[in-house]
Amino acid sequence: MCLGLPMTIVETDGISALCEFHGEQRRVSMLLLSNPPVGAKVLVSIDSAIRLLDDDEARLIGDAILGLGAALNGEDCNRFFADLIDRERQLPEHLRLD
């Protein structure tokens, strides 16, 4: 299983870009995307940007990753999953019987 990180493009030459997530920077391939600008949020997997993200989706993915890290360290992780705390549990549509 691969984990994708929501990263922000800091600088780019069109082929690769320096991207950042939570203080970590890495150079990633931009070959799968159509020349996103500096400041764009991208989902990065195995050092390749695989798709553009809007700000809300990037924040939700980032919070989930930080929340998992907090849980693994025995810390309170509820603040990272605020969008799920008071929500009724639901099966994904493809698993529902109705």
Side-chain angles (χ1 to χ4, degrees):
M1 179 175 88
C2 296
L3 184 66
L5 294 176
M7 302 188 87
T8 303
I9 297 174
V10 176
E11 62 183 47
T12 183
D13 60 15
I15 295 172
S16 68
L18 182 64
C19 296
E20 181 175 69
F21 172 70
H22 205 63
E24 177 189 339
Q25 291 188 342
R26 65 173 59 171
R27 184 145 302 272
V28 303
S29 169
M30 290 285 126
L31 294 176
L32 297 176
L33 301 180
S34 183
N35 208 14
V38 169
K41 308 278 193 281
V42 293
L43 187 63
V44 175
S45 181
I46 314 174
D47 289 332
S48 291
I50 57 174
R51 72 179 177 95
L52 288 172
L53 300 171
D54 65 35
D55 289 340
D56 288 335
E57 188 176 23
R59 181 186 50 78
L60 288 172
I61 295 169
D63 284 352
I65 291 169
L66 295 174
L68 290 173
L72 288 171
N73 289 325
E75 302 166 10
D76 177 33
C77 61
N78 286 341
R79 71 181 186 276
F80 297 107
F81 301 102
D83 61 314
L84 301 176
I85 297 297
D86 294 323
R87 194 167 84 179
E88 187 73 27
R89 294 181 187 152
Q90 297 177 15
L91 283 172
E93 275 193 45
H94 68 280
L95 294 178
R96 295 181 194 161
L97 295 176
D98 43 58

